[in-house]
Amino acid sequence: MRRNVGYFVVIIHSVVLASLHKDPGVVYVGKYGNYTWPRHDLQAEIPGDIILGALHMVHERSDNKICGPIMPQGGIQALECMMYTLDRINEGDFLPGFSIGVLSKDDCDRDIYGLEQAVDFIRGSVANVGGSEVYKCDDESDPIVQLPVIPGVIGAPSSVTSIQVATLLKLFEIPQISFFSTSSVLSSRDRYPYFLRTIPSDVNQAQAMVEIVRMLNWTYVSVVYEESSYGIQGFNELEKLLKEANICIATTEKLTKDSGVAGQDTYDDIVDKLKLKPNARGVIIFGSDQEVGELMEAVKRRNSTGMFTWIGSDGWGGRGLAYHGKEEQVEGAITTQPLAYEVKGFKNYFLKLKPGSNHRNPWFIEYWEQHFKCKYPGSPWTPYNENFMKDCTGNESFNLDTFDMEAQLQFVSDAVMAFAHAIKNMHQTLCPNTNGICDAMNPIDGEQLKKFLLEVQFKGLSGDDFQFLPNGDGPARYRILNFHQKDKGVYEWSTVGYFKNGNLSEMQNLTYRLDEPMHPPSVCSHPCGPGEATQLVEGDSCCWTCMKCHTYQYMPSKSECVTCPMGTIPIADKSYCQPIPQKFLDYGDALSFSAMIVATLGLAATSTAMITFLRYSATPIVKASGRELSFVLLVGIFLCYSMTFILVSKPTEVSCGAQKFGIGLCFSIVYSAILTKTNRIYRIFKAGKRTTKRPKFISPKSQLVICGSLVAVQNAVGIVWVLLRPPKVISYYANRDDHQLVCNDAVEAWYMVGFTYPIFLIIVCTFFAFLTRNIPEAFNESKHIGLTMYTTCIIWLAFVPIFFSTADEIDIRIATMSFAISLSATVALACMFAPKSYIIIFHSERNVRQSLMAAKPVMSGPVVQNNYRATKCNIRIDTDSKSYQGSDMELTHRLRTSGSCNSLCSRSTNLTQANGISISTQTLNFPVRLKYENREPEQDQAEETEQDQDVQL
């Protein structure tokens, strides 16, 4: 066997010392002399080739003695049932050539005392460690009594005792089968690998008890449990299951057990505490018969009969100690009991037993004395039989009407049968075709025996099939008992249903009291109505008042109202929140459709203007407009209209990114081109007042560079904005009933980041448009630009308040933005391109250079005398130039001190052609060469070699 050597040394010394110094008992001074109580040396024996150990609670627990009086049902009857089963096994040829015996001890329902008694079961194993099956005396002689190696133990009945014994037996790999221990702790295969039981675990029993409570529609109960492993583990399971079933525990009380025996005051105090919760009329008691019997006595003393309805565990249900003499207090109780059937033949066997013939049970005489209240002649004195005044004859008869037979004796019989079948199967495997015990089974290996035990399947003496569960527990089957009056003053336990496979079945004929058949309700507060939450009463977690949940709250549990998350509203019964349908602009929306119609018309118009300018790009009116910037402007207008389709689409990360980058880009292209135009005009005319030199950066290439630089600023702003605040699609809630799907920048004023730079360009454009408002009338594009900018300012002055006032209606804000962008693009398109397109398409006769020149009288300029010499400015039109076929023109004028060619003749410069015709230079769009009389020849020659420039004045 695999054992820790250090442990063995300690155990061996303990066993030897216990053998030498075992206390025979306490000496009592009685009425008729001194006697020892209890007698440790008493044991029930059946001889056999294989000896099993057994622990029974033959005596009850006592508060002032080690052992109390005889326990008739769970003690003596269980012991006799075990021996009866062994007799049946050994009678026939069930076992091939060998028999099974037993060595049974009394644990007095005490764990420490039971552990001391269990030491006798390991002596043979300890002695066998050294290779001998017997102890040797000091003189090397053999002792009188041999110590058999016990391969298995039946018992103990109590869970707390079984835990102690199982801890000891696992050191020697001795399997143990309990018949009454139900604690869930014992199901642990790691802690108790050699423990098995024929009775189901308390986990299943607690579930059955909770199902009974649910069947009665109770929601408020008290719990009383005993202070033992059985009671504590049972309560833990109950507490968990009651919580899962939403059943409140009004109060919990503990019955003293392991720490001693409680007095009447303790039980009276428990009853008084139960009475403090009058609405909790249902009380679950998880305890043993002796303690429950004392509690019922306290119920009688405290005048509380009929105040409570009891739900009981198998520890006291149907047991005489719990209800004899307390029938009125127990009446109406519903208890669970592991489903067991009568062991066939045992009742007749037991009723025929006589103290004079039952020599193998040393406690039977004591049982006889207690049952018939007499002293058996020659029996030893005990603290209990010395009070009996009559002698027993040994021929007394049991009253079958009052005789109580333990209802769970099947589990005792099945424990014995399990060992017998496992040993038989082991013998067939290890000793095939052999009668008697072979060397392979001498001694029996505990690990192998456990394996055979877990595999046994048999039909017991009760006629019921049995097989261990994989964890060694018995099958989970319970009988539901009800204690009620059959007739006036006649009480009985009757089966009213079953609990199998986790469900109650066949529940019928439940009775509370004879005058009150229905069990009373056990609720603190009635359930609240729909949409009402339970508000707990201070100081009591199981009683409540009903609180109405408001419109936007739901009830995740019965006891709380929780506000639904934004974007959701509760359903009608407020059990959960449902999402509010998302609202967003898409192509099917009415606002979106309107905006797209406007944008589509704008795109068509812009495309028409673009095609027109492309087709007639070589005509004077297109050249005079500045072809390059005109096309840049048209591209910007086209993008403005296109933005509508992005703005009104369903928000996605891509569309959100396109929106935040595009809204500023399209405007910056438009107003950068317009600003470049107005600035060029302004610089040309301003320079003409100061110098005769041509201003820098007025060529088409320069203008495109300037415009591109202005647009690049917006691109930089857009890139930084996207990087610092990546586009996202979010849910926006303007109010509790709102759920909008929007881009993150559509909330608050983030889109103004994209509009800030275009607004700056608009302001600057408007400023230059204002400065150039008085340019000669023939310079009509300045006025068109001015009209464009003034109208744009009005549009944006109207748009900005609308933008900020629609913070809660993002769809309206986006639609308004789309209309504003389209309207701004339409203003620019109408003012800048409509007149020119009209002339190009419908009045092509005006699309010539002569028609672009306003005929005005020639005005001779004054001669200005100052520090500068008078300068004559001549403009000669080279009619021989390849770029233009026309007459020579010459503009001769004396510049003012600050003068230039564009300020001559009272702000209206004229070209004088050779034939005398005066032509305005405002819309000149043909190659010219300028010659200045006061310039050096080298300068004139360089000027002539310069490429032709389009004059856009």
Side-chain angles (χ1 to χ4, degrees):
M1 291 183 291
R2 301 177 297 277
R3 302 183 179 91
N4 184 288
V5 176
Y7 247 139
F8 259 128
V9 172
V10 174
I11 294 295
I12 291 172
H13 280 82
S14 299
V15 171
V16 172
L17 290 174
S19 301
L20 295 175
H21 303 97
K22 193 169 184 179
D23 187 2
V26 178
V27 177
Y28 280 86
V29 178
K31 294 181 180 180
Y32 308 104
N34 299 338
Y35 53 88
T36 300
W37 180 262
R39 293 180 58 187
H40 296 277
D41 58 332
L42 291 181
Q43 57 191 23
E45 294 183 78
I46 293 179
D49 298 299
I50 297 175
I51 303 298
L52 298 175
L55 274 178
H56 290 269
M57 47 184 180
V58 179
H59 291 89
E60 298 176 9
R61 177 191 296 259
S62 175
D63 58 342
N64 54 6
K65 301 176 182 66
I66 296 176
C67 294
I70 284 288
M71 182 175 288
Q73 292 173 276
I76 291 296
Q77 290 182 14
L79 174 60
E80 289 293 344
C81 182
M82 177 192 69
M83 293 191 290
Y84 169 78
T85 304
L86 277 174
D87 291 341
R88 296 289 300 273
I89 291 171
N90 292 325
E91 281 175 359
D93 56 358
F94 179 77
L95 299 175
F98 65 92
S99 61
I100 298 176
V102 71
L103 175 66
S104 182
K105 309 290 288 187
D106 177 21
D107 66 13
C108 293
D109 198 18
R110 290 183 179 272
D111 54 344
I112 301 302
Y113 185 75
L115 181 62
E116 292 176 359
Q117 296 287 63
V119 170
D120 288 345
F121 303 148
I122 65 171
R123 290 181 184 174
S125 298
V126 173
N128 195 45
V129 171
S132 173
E133 296 183 1
V134 297
Y135 282 117
K136 295 295 184 181
C137 298
D138 294 337
D139 59 357
E140 296 301 322
S141 61
D142 293 336
I144 298 174
V145 180
Q146 289 189 343
L147 299 174
V149 176
I150 293 178
V153 174
I154 301 170
S158 170
S159 292
V160 64
T161 306
S162 287
I163 289 173
Q164 298 286 353
V165 174
T167 304
L168 172 65
L169 296 181
K170 75 176 180 179
L171 299 175
F172 297 90
E173 298 181 352
I174 299 176
Q176 170 190 359
I177 302 179
S178 176
F179 43 85
F180 287 161
S181 298
T182 59
S183 173
S184 58
V185 173
L186 291 165
S187 296
S188 172
R189 294 295 88 197
D190 295 330
R191 296 176 61 184
Y192 309 106
Y194 293 92
F195 179 84
L196 298 89
R197 53 185 161 195
T198 54
I199 196 168
S201 168
D202 283 337
V203 174
N204 308 109
Q205 181 175 203
Q207 186 179 0
M209 297 170 76
V210 172
E211 287 300 314
I212 294 172
V213 173
R214 293 180 59 185
M215 179 197 66
L216 295 172
N217 294 320
W218 290 353
T219 58
Y220 190 56
V221 297
S222 297
V223 178
V224 179
Y225 64 98
E226 71 175 31
E227 178 204 29
S228 68
S229 175
Y230 169 74
I232 293 173
Q233 295 301 322
F235 170 72
N236 291 339
E237 291 296 329
L238 275 173
E239 187 177 33
K240 180 179 68 175
L241 294 172
L242 288 172
K243 184 176 181 181
E244 292 175 358
N246 294 321
I247 298 171
C248 295
I249 298 177
T251 184
T252 58
E253 300 298 330
K254 189 182 297 184
L255 301 174
T256 303
K257 186 175 180 67
D258 287 353
S259 61
V261 178
Q264 291 184 358
D265 292 342
T266 302
Y267 288 103
D268 290 346
D269 185 56
I270 291 174
V271 174
D272 290 339
K273 290 180 180 179
L274 292 177
K275 292 168 66 175
L276 293 176
K277 303 290 183 178
N279 289 335
R281 298 191 63 182
V283 180
I284 300 176
I285 304 180
F286 216 108
S288 301
D289 50 1
Q290 185 175 353
E291 287 71 29
V292 174
E294 293 294 336
L295 179 65
M296 295 304 160
E297 290 286 357
V299 171
K300 182 189 296 186
R301 289 193 299 270
R302 305 306 294 175
N303 297 320
S304 302
T305 301
M307 188 174 292
F308 305 106
T309 298
W310 316 106
I311 304 295
S313 64
D314 65 327
W316 66 275
R319 298 181 183 272
L321 282 176
Y323 70 89
H324 278 321
K326 287 89 64 174
E327 286 82 0
E328 290 187 25
Q329 289 70 45
V330 181
E331 184 180 5
I334 305 172
T335 67
T336 61
Q337 187 180 81
L339 184 57
Y341 297 97
E342 181 181 352
V343 178
K344 296 176 182 178
F346 174 71
K347 185 173 183 180
N348 291 333
Y349 161 84
F350 188 82
L351 294 176
K352 292 178 181 180
L353 289 175
K354 300 296 182 181
S357 59
N358 189 6
H359 302 297
R360 62 184 183 180
N361 184 350
W363 301 286
F364 190 78
I365 291 176
E366 192 176 341
Y367 163 76
W368 194 272
E369 291 177 332
Q370 180 171 310
H371 185 81
F372 293 107
K373 309 301 180 187
C374 59
K375 173 68 169 62
Y376 192 80
S379 66
W381 291 105
T382 69
Y384 306 101
N385 65 7
E386 65 180 8
N387 295 321
F388 299 143
M389 305 305 296
K390 64 177 182 178
D391 292 334
C392 298
T393 64
N395 294 317
E396 288 83 3
S397 298
F398 293 103
N399 185 348
L400 298 181
D401 293 332
T402 59
F403 178 78
D404 291 322
M405 180 63 70
E406 170 62 45
Q408 301 182 47
L409 294 179
Q410 174 189 336
F411 300 117
V412 181
S413 179
D414 285 346
V416 181
M417 293 293 291
F419 268 119
H421 280 272
I423 292 172
K424 178 182 178 181
N425 294 340
M426 177 183 282
H427 183 272
Q428 291 175 346
T429 302
L430 302 180
C431 308
N433 303 319
T434 302
N435 279 337
I437 303 299
C438 64
D439 292 339
M441 291 181 61
N442 190 17
I444 293 177
D445 182 81
E447 184 67 29
Q448 284 187 315
L449 180 58
K450 183 184 75 169
K451 177 183 176 183
F452 282 102
L453 282 170
L454 289 172
E455 295 175 352
V456 296
Q457 298 183 39
F458 59 87
K459 187 181 292 291
L461 297 183
S462 63
D464 193 24
D465 293 326
F466 180 83
Q467 181 181 10
F468 288 107
L469 297 177
N471 65 349
D473 288 344
R477 300 172 297 186
Y478 290 89
R479 174 185 285 111
I480 309 301
L481 302 178
N482 179 212
F483 188 70
H484 60 93
Q485 287 193 68
K486 185 177 180 181
D487 294 311
K488 185 66 174 179
V490 179
Y491 298 86
E492 69 173 5
W493 290 96
S494 61
T495 300
V496 294
Y498 299 91
F499 180 80
K500 298 178 181 178
N501 301 320
N503 297 299
L504 292 173
S505 62
E506 304 178 37
M507 295 296 295
Q508 56 185 352
N509 300 325
L510 269 176
T511 304
Y512 176 50
R513 309 185 77 81
L514 192 62
D515 55 349
E516 187 182 351
M518 299 297 295
H519 284 77
S522 184
V523 295
C524 182
S525 301
H526 292 286
C528 296
E532 294 181 340
T534 57
Q535 187 172 19
L536 298 180
V537 176
E538 185 178 357
D540 197 327
S541 61
C542 301
C543 299
W544 58 82
T545 57
C546 294
M547 175 181 65
K548 187 74 174 178
C549 296
H550 68 63
T551 305
Y552 299 107
Q553 287 183 326
Y554 77 105
M555 299 171 59
S557 67
K558 294 182 178 180
S559 60
E560 57 182 337
C561 294
V562 177
T563 301
C564 287
M566 295 295 289
T568 62
I569 56 175
I571 63 173
D573 63 0
K574 294 187 178 295
S575 59
Y576 64 91
C577 298
Q578 63 181 358
I580 299 173
Q582 289 182 330
K583 182 173 63 173
F584 53 85
L585 279 176
D586 61 10
Y587 295 143
D589 189 81
L591 279 175
S592 301
F593 189 73
S594 301
M596 287 190 295
I597 289 177
V598 174
T600 301
L601 294 175
L603 287 173
T606 305
S607 299
T608 301
M610 192 176 296
I611 292 171
T612 302
F613 268 57
L614 281 172
R615 183 176 181 181
Y616 299 96
S617 61
T619 61
I621 197 167
V622 174
K623 289 183 177 180
S625 301
R627 286 175 299 183
E628 292 78 6
L629 287 180
S630 293
F631 284 120
V632 170
L633 183 57
L634 283 171
V635 169
I637 294 172
F638 190 90
L639 290 177
C640 287
Y641 286 123
S642 300
M643 280 304 301
T644 295
F645 297 93
I646 298 175
L647 288 170
V648 301
S649 63
K650 182 178 179 179
T652 63
E653 289 190 1
V654 175
S655 65
C656 291
Q659 286 179 23
K660 68 191 303 180
F661 195 85
I663 56 175
L665 177 62
C666 65
F667 275 131
S668 64
I669 293 174
V670 171
Y671 297 112
S672 293
I674 295 176
L675 176 59
T676 304
K677 279 175 173 284
T678 56
N679 176 263
R680 180 171 181 270
I681 295 171
Y682 173 76
R683 287 189 297 113
I684 289 174
F685 280 92
K686 184 177 181 181
K689 295 180 181 180
R690 298 194 307 265
T691 179
T692 60
K693 294 182 178 181
R694 183 169 60 88
K696 297 181 180 180
F697 309 119
I698 62 174
S699 66
K701 183 177 180 180
S702 300
Q703 298 301 293
L704 288 176
V705 171
I706 293 172
C707 181
S709 301
L710 293 174
V711 174
V713 174
Q714 176 61 37
N715 288 336
V717 171
I719 291 172
V720 172
W721 186 19
V722 169
L723 292 177
L724 294 181
R725 186 177 169 85
K728 295 179 181 178
V729 180
I730 63 172
S731 293
Y732 175 70
Y733 317 105
N735 51 61
R736 284 295 322 175
D737 295 311
D738 186 48
H739 187 187
Q740 302 181 54
L741 186 68
V742 299
C743 298
N744 58 335
D745 291 309
V747 181
E748 298 177 349
W750 283 102
Y751 275 150
M752 296 308 296
V753 174
F755 287 133
T756 300
Y757 182 66
I759 290 175
F760 169 75
L761 293 178
I762 290 173
I763 294 172
V764 176
C765 283
T766 305
F767 174 73
F768 280 111
F770 178 78
L771 291 180
T772 58
R773 70 189 185 282
N774 292 324
I775 286 177
E777 182 178 347
F779 295 89
N780 48 26
E781 193 168 34
S782 298
K783 299 187 183 301
H784 292 162
I785 292 174
L787 179 61
T788 300
M789 299 318 302
Y790 302 149
T791 307
T792 301
C793 288
I794 293 173
I795 292 173
W796 280 79
L797 286 174
F799 165 71
V800 171
I802 294 174
F803 180 86
F804 285 101
S805 64
T806 55
D808 292 341
E809 297 291 340
I810 303 300
D811 53 345
I812 297 178
R813 168 181 282 189
I814 298 299
T816 304
M817 187 189 306
S818 300
F819 283 115
I821 293 174
S822 296
L823 190 57
S824 299
T826 301
V827 169
L829 183 65
C831 293
M832 302 294 291
F833 294 96
K836 299 179 180 65
S837 298
Y838 178 77
I839 292 174
I840 292 171
I841 297 173
F842 298 104
H843 295 281
S844 58
E845 72 278 4
R846 296 175 55 186
N847 190 9
V848 294
R849 287 168 177 77
Q850 287 78 3
S851 66
L852 301 178
M853 304 174 183
K856 289 183 179 290
V858 176
M859 299 176 65
S860 59
V863 177
V864 181
Q865 299 292 333
N866 54 12
N867 294 332
Y868 300 94
R869 68 185 179 89
T871 303
K872 182 178 179 180
C873 180
N874 292 328
I875 300 178
R876 187 182 73 239
I877 301 178
D878 190 355
T879 59
D880 296 329
S881 174
K882 295 179 180 180
S883 62
Y884 179 72
Q885 299 297 325
S887 302
D888 289 338
M889 284 185 267
E890 187 179 69
L891 176 64
T892 304
H893 197 279
R894 297 287 184 178
L895 298 177
R896 297 175 182 173
T897 304
S898 60
S900 66
C901 291
N902 67 336
S903 62
L904 299 179
C905 302
S906 300
R907 309 180 73 86
S908 180
T909 305
N910 295 293
L911 295 178
T912 305
Q913 195 176 8
N915 57 9
I917 301 174
S918 296
I919 303 173
S920 172
T921 64
Q922 183 258 331
T923 58
L924 289 178
N925 191 33
F926 47 88
V928 299
R929 292 186 179 93
L930 302 179
K931 288 188 178 180
Y932 299 94
E933 292 180 349
N934 59 337
R935 299 181 65 177
E936 297 297 330
E938 293 79 3
Q939 292 175 314
D940 291 341
Q941 186 177 359
E943 192 76 19
E944 289 176 355
T945 60
E946 186 180 21
Q947 293 187 0
D948 293 340
Q949 303 290 327
D950 289 335
V951 181
Q952 303 173 47
L953 303 180

